[in-house]
């Protein structure tokens, strides 16, 4: 493919990314800001959910059983629902809309909806029958504890229907996002988390103590049912007719399925990383899977606030540019999105690294979650932090491949990622424990992001690499200053105020706040373009 050179902006400014000029750019900027804010609220609600669950269950064997029981349906979700389905569906649906074939687009959407309902309905029934041997195979470290294995099997059966529900929801959300509706889909995860919190608080006492963790699994199922139902009225209000179609032989339906195959494999393999971490974690200790997962939940907060928000809002735009074969605009939009992602995630990673222990202590340490659990989780969080910028860039690179309807390379890289993770974890879980398990994921993510960038550079005749590297160098310099300031301010406040809850909030807030203020001044002073874009967006929003 030879990219079209005409239309490249003379100043190198991307024509349509967040923060760009023009009506379309402003709409994207507002959508990105809203989606980021809504995702942030969702992540905070999710963190509140994790705090409550940790106070009840700590990093006990029961919590590890829930973690693994949830990861298996979560892996299936990655294979058949959510991002995998949208990654294949949105480009085809958007292309039909761009060509004015609205009726055909809706026929394809509802045909995919009905096909997913049939296939995943059968898969759910099959899993309910075979859950015993499947879950036994992924919990080798639970051989000594039939009770933990029984908990894992039962909770996996309770939660597996979420795969079907999220696949159907994925089609609906894909239609809404393609038409520029991001608000309600972005807010439904908040409802999901609130329902789970309610179940944890209200249902836990209805089970005997050894089975109280079932309240968590029931909350996940009920929350997912709500997440499926809530966007439906928005779909109706947007004027999209709800008319089930069974045109499964439609060539565009098959095009979605053909695109979905590599996307499914790629995202499924990426999510299989988490299951690998838990499998090797069971060999470290009963507490390790839960500790790794608890650290990952904190890690997901900046990831969801920034990288997921930017990638989700830009994805329909990337798909439209790819459908028009406007590769210049596609390249500049993607590159600007990557720089904005790195501008936000590199300092986030530094804060997670230098303040891992006080963050973990403040978030989790109460009730059943003691100092030993804080130590385990903070080690995992420190390791996870190194992958944050690479994961954010990789997410946007993957969306670009999906937009080009060329996802097989990302699929191949996901296999390499999985292999790297498995090899590192197998070699280092025994001498290094949790550190060895998590660093396997970090190594795989780094390799994947670099390789994706290399291939996109070839396919798009460049990825604005020089400009990105120059911005990254300035961002890293500002981040070093920020990290030193954050740790020093936190240490001073913590030494003077002590470790009460209020003192921890003040100390950590002062450390993070001082670091962010210094970082913002540094990147503005060093004239990082993306920092000025975000600054203008914030000023317009105020």
């Amino acid at each position: 493919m030879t990219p079209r050179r005409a239309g490249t902006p003379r100043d190198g400014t991307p024509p349509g990314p967040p923060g760009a000029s023009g009506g379309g750019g402003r709409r994207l900027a507002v959508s990105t800001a809203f989606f980021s804010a809504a995702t942030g609220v969702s992540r905070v609600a999710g963190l509140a959910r994790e705090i409550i669950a940790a106070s009840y269950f700590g990093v006990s064997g029961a919590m590890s059983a829930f973690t693994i029981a949830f990861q298996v349906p979560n892996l299936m979700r990655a294979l058949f629902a959510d991002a995998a389905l949208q990654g294949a569906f949105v480009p085809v649906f958007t292309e039909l809309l761009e060509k004015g074939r609205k009726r055909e687009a809706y026929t394809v959407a509802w045909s995919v909806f009905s096909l997913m309902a049939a296939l995943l309905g059968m898969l759910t029934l099959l899993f309910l029958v075979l859950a015993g041997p499947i879950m036994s195979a992924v919990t080798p470290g639970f051989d000594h504890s039939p009770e933990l294995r029984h908990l894992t099997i039962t909770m996996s059966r309770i939660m597996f229907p979420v795969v079907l529900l999220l696949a159907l929801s994925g089609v609906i959300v894909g239609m809404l996002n393609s038409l520029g509706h991001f608000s309600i889909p972005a807010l439904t995860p908040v409802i999901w988390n609130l329902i789970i919190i309610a179940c944890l608080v209200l249902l836990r006492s209805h089970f005997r103590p050894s089975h109280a963790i079932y309240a968590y699994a029931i909350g996940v199922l009920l929350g997912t049912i709500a997440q499926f139902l809530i966007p439906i009225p928005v779909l109706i209000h947007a004027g999209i007719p709800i008319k089930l179609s069974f045109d499964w032989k439609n060539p565009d339906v098959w095009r979605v399925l053909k695109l979905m195959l590599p996307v499914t494999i790629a995202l499924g393999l990426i999510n299989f990383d988490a299951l690998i971490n838990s499998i090797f974690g069971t060999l470290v200790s009963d507490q390790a899977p839960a500790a790794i997962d608890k650290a990952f939940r904190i890690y997901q907060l900046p990831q969801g606030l920034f990288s997921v928000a930017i990638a989700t809002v830009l994805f329909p735009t990337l798909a439209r540019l790819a459908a028009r074969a406007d590769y210049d605009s596609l390249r500049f939009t993607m590159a600007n999105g990557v720089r904005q992602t790195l501008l936000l995630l590199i300092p986030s990673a530094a804060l997670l690294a230098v303040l891992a222990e006080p963050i973990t202590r403040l978030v989790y340490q109460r009730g059943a979650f003691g100092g030993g659990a804080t130590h385990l989780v903070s080690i995992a969080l420190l390791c996870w932090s190194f992958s944050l910028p690479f994961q954010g860039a990789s997410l946007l690179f993957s969306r670009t491949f999906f937009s080009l309807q060329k996802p097989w390379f990302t699929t191949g890289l996901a296999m390499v990622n999985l292999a790297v993770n498995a090899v590192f974890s197998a070699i280092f879980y025994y001498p290094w424990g949790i550190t060895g398990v998590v660093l396997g994921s970090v190594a795989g993510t780094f390799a994947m992001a670099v390789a994706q960038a290399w291939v996109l550079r070839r396919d798009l005749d460049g990825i604005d690499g020089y400009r990105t590297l120059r911005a990254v160098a300035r961002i890293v310099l500002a981040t070093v200053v920020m990290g030193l300031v954050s740790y020093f301010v936190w240490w001073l406040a913590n030494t003077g105020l002590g470790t009460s809850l209020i003192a921890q909030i003040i100390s950590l807030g002062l450390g993070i706040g001082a670091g962010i203020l210094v970082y913002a001044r540094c990147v503005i002073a060093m004239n990082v373009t993306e920092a000025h874009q975000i600054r203008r967006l914030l000023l317009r929003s105020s």
Side-chain angles (χ1 to χ4, degrees):
M1 175 181 67
T2 302
R4 181 175 60 83
R5 300 291 300 178
T8 304
R10 292 184 180 180
D11 62 355
T13 302
S21 59
R26 280 192 294 271
R27 283 192 297 272
L28 277 176
V30 171
S31 294
T32 302
F34 180 86
F35 194 94
S36 182
T39 304
V41 172
S42 172
R43 297 294 184 183
V44 170
L47 199 55
R49 179 198 78 221
E50 289 297 315
I51 291 169
I52 292 171
S55 70
Y56 292 149
F57 307 111
V59 290
S60 62
M63 193 68 240
S64 289
F66 171 84
T67 299
I68 299 172
F70 185 55
Q71 283 173 344
V72 170
N74 202 43
L75 173 60
M76 294 298 104
R77 172 199 61 78
L79 288 173
F80 300 109
D82 218 8
L85 179 57
Q86 288 187 49
F89 170 71
V90 168
V92 174
F93 185 74
T94 302
E95 180 182 322
L96 292 172
L97 292 178
E98 280 291 304
K99 293 179 178 178
R101 298 162 59 187
K102 183 178 291 188
R103 180 174 297 179
E104 294 173 56
Y106 294 154
T107 298
V108 169
W110 292 116
S111 295
V112 171
F113 183 94
S114 63
L115 183 59
M116 289 296 105
L119 293 177
L120 295 183
M122 290 187 290
L123 179 65
T124 299
L125 291 175
L126 184 63
F127 180 86
L128 294 179
V129 174
L130 299 177
I134 291 173
M135 299 310 298
S136 295
V138 299
T139 53
F142 287 174
D143 289 341
H144 66 285
S145 179
E147 176 66 17
L148 287 182
R149 181 158 286 168
H150 174 72
L151 282 174
T152 308
I153 293 168
T154 304
M155 285 190 288
S156 70
R157 285 187 170 125
I158 293 171
M159 292 186 285
F160 199 86
V162 306
V163 178
L164 170 62
L165 293 167
L166 287 175
L168 302 182
S169 178
V171 178
I172 293 173
V173 170
M175 285 191 277
L176 289 173
N177 286 351
S178 296
L179 295 170
H181 295 274
F182 295 98
S183 55
I184 297 301
L187 290 171
T188 51
V190 179
I191 307 299
W192 184 81
N193 282 304
L194 292 177
I195 289 174
I196 295 175
I197 290 171
C199 288
L200 280 170
V201 173
L202 300 176
L203 296 184
R204 186 175 48 88
S205 61
H206 292 277
F207 297 94
R208 66 177 187 265
S210 61
H211 288 175
I213 193 72
Y214 285 148
Y216 205 165
I218 292 169
V220 169
L221 177 60
L222 295 180
T224 307
I225 292 172
Q227 194 171 3
F228 164 65
L229 294 175
I230 289 170
I232 293 177
V234 184
L235 197 73
I236 297 171
H237 186 263
I240 300 175
I242 298 179
K243 186 177 180 181
L244 283 183
S245 177
F246 299 90
D247 188 8
W248 296 347
K249 295 182 179 180
N250 187 305
D252 289 314
V253 172
W254 278 97
R255 194 149 63 97
V256 171
L257 295 180
K258 289 176 182 177
L259 284 172
M260 189 175 171
L261 177 61
V263 176
T264 288
I265 296 171
L267 293 176
L269 289 172
I270 290 170
N271 281 271
F272 196 70
D273 275 358
L275 189 57
I276 286 179
N277 291 341
S278 289
I279 291 171
F280 283 103
T282 65
L283 298 174
V284 174
S285 69
D286 288 350
Q287 293 76 35
I292 293 170
D293 184 68
K294 287 287 178 284
F296 187 71
R297 299 300 174 181
I298 299 176
Y299 163 93
Q300 281 187 308
L301 181 59
Q303 185 190 37
L305 272 171
F306 307 128
S307 60
V308 173
I310 292 172
T312 300
V313 173
L314 281 185
F315 186 29
T317 300
L318 295 172
R320 280 192 291 272
L321 294 172
R324 299 170 188 166
D326 187 356
Y327 301 119
D328 285 336
S329 296
L330 175 64
R331 177 176 65 251
F332 284 110
T333 300
M334 178 202 71
N336 185 248
V338 167
R339 287 191 294 272
Q340 288 191 337
T341 299
L342 296 178
L343 174 74
L344 298 168
L345 289 188
I346 290 176
S348 298
L351 287 173
L352 292 181
V354 301
L355 298 175
E357 187 164 333
I359 288 173
T360 302
R361 185 185 304 116
L362 175 62
V363 171
Y364 290 130
Q365 190 169 313
R366 59 189 56 83
F369 198 103
T374 293
H375 177 68
L376 289 176
V377 173
S378 62
I379 291 173
L381 181 58
L382 172 64
C383 296
W384 276 123
S385 68
F386 290 101
S387 75
L388 189 58
F390 301 107
Q391 183 65 41
S394 178
L395 184 63
L396 197 50
F397 289 149
S398 295
R399 293 294 194 275
T400 305
F401 279 112
F402 301 157
S403 299
L404 293 167
Q405 301 185 30
K406 295 173 58 178
W408 279 108
F409 181 78
T410 291
T411 302
L413 280 181
M415 294 180 182
V416 174
N417 182 357
L418 186 65
V420 170
N421 184 7
V423 169
F424 264 73
S425 296
I427 293 173
F428 295 118
Y429 85 87
Y430 180 73
W432 292 354
I434 286 176
T435 299
V437 174
V438 177
L439 286 182
S441 289
V442 175
T445 301
F446 171 77
M448 185 164 182
V450 171
Q452 284 176 311
W454 183 267
V455 172
L456 283 172
R457 179 176 176 271
R458 180 198 67 193
D459 288 356
L460 296 178
D461 193 24
I463 55 171
D464 213 0
Y466 172 75
R467 193 173 177 186
T468 298
L469 290 175
R470 187 176 62 180
V472 167
R474 297 176 183 181
I475 290 168
V476 168
L477 180 60
T479 298
V480 170
V481 177
M482 179 206 72
L484 293 172
V485 169
S486 289
Y487 185 83
F488 181 69
V489 170
W490 166 80
W491 179 82
L492 280 179
N494 184 69
T495 302
L497 297 176
T499 58
S500 68
L501 178 60
I502 299 298
Q504 287 183 66
I505 293 172
I506 294 172
S507 299
L508 200 56
L510 287 174
I512 292 174
I516 291 174
L517 180 62
V518 168
Y519 176 75
R521 288 186 175 276
C522 285
V523 291
I524 292 292
M526 289 189 288
N527 202 30
V528 177
T529 302
E530 289 68 31
H532 287 286
Q533 290 176 350
I534 293 175
R535 180 172 174 267
R536 286 195 297 270
L537 173 61
L538 293 174
L539 290 174
R540 282 202 301 267
S541 302
S542 61

